[in-house]
Amino acid sequence: MQNVVESIHYWIKRLPEEYNSMSEEEISNRPSQNKWSKKEILGHLCDSAINNIERFIKIQYEEPVYRIQVYNQDQWVMVQDYQGRPLDEIVNLFQTLNKQITTIIKNTPHEKISNLCDIGNNQQQTLEWLIKDYLEHMEHHIHNGILSKY
């Protein structure tokens, strides 16, 4: 889990630098009508953090097997109007939420890391898997959306 924490800390530091090197047009451009802008992708990563904070905590104490609740990602991005908000607000939210996630990971007792959760489609995974998947999801959006040159 230490590698996950270090990777999240890396992105907490690096993403603001990346966004600050881009123009407003570059961060606000939607490559197509049904694709998010780079600002909205960052907002989506905030939404992912919000949802996963709850999951990472509840898996540790609720009756097994904790059932993951899905959320409508497009609705979350739209309702929170990431496109119309100042970039610094979204960056600060990303940093704060991910600092909280690293605190939760570091404070998770070793014996809880193997607690199971139901991720849907009759599949169960451990808390450890879910935490690693959180980072993989984040890095997927960073490499294929934020850092890409559409």
Side-chain angles (χ1 to χ4, degrees):
M1 291 289 92
Q2 184 60 31
N3 289 344
V4 173
V5 169
E6 290 171 7
S7 294
I8 293 172
H9 278 294
Y10 172 79
W11 291 115
I12 288 170
K13 184 178 183 309
R14 172 104 188 275
L15 277 184
E17 296 167 356
E18 288 295 329
Y19 275 94
N20 288 334
S21 72
M22 296 180 214
S23 68
E24 181 64 33
E25 181 181 338
E26 192 176 355
I27 63 171
S28 298
N29 178 52
R30 289 186 177 127
S32 66
Q33 189 173 6
N34 62 343
K35 294 276 189 184
W36 291 328
S37 69
K38 292 178 188 293
K39 277 173 77 173
E40 290 171 315
I41 292 169
L42 186 60
H44 167 65
L45 293 179
C46 293
D47 296 341
S48 175
I50 290 166
N51 280 274
N52 279 288
I53 285 170
E54 178 180 358
R55 294 168 180 168
F56 296 167
I57 293 170
K58 286 185 173 183
I59 290 169
Q60 294 186 49
Y61 72 84
E62 287 198 356
E63 287 294 316
V65 167
Y66 176 75
R67 176 181 224 114
I68 298 289
Q69 298 296 313
V70 298
Y71 66 102
N72 185 318
Q73 299 171 6
D74 290 321
Q75 288 297 316
W76 277 62
V77 168
M78 182 189 70
V79 168
Q80 296 189 81
D81 188 29
Y82 291 118
Q83 185 72 351
R85 293 173 65 185
L87 176 62
D88 65 323
E89 284 183 14
I90 306 167
V91 167
N92 289 336
L93 182 60
F94 173 84
Q95 291 177 307
T96 301
L97 290 168
N98 279 285
K99 286 176 185 175
Q100 185 65 24
I101 283 187
T102 61
T103 298
I104 293 165
I105 294 169
K106 288 189 280 189
N107 289 315
T108 298
H110 182 71
E111 65 273 8
K112 300 287 186 177
I113 205 77
S114 61
N115 283 13
L116 292 174
C117 59
D118 178 348
I119 63 168
N121 297 324
N122 296 318
Q123 291 184 324
Q124 293 183 356
Q125 295 291 345
T126 64
L127 174 55
E128 179 178 23
W129 180 91
L130 194 64
I131 290 169
K132 289 178 179 177
D133 185 65
Y134 171 77
L135 176 61
E136 288 175 19
H137 170 260
M138 176 194 295
E139 290 183 333
H140 165 79
H141 282 293
I142 291 170
H143 293 299
N144 296 303
I146 296 170
L147 299 181
S148 71
K149 300 291 181 201
Y150 292 133

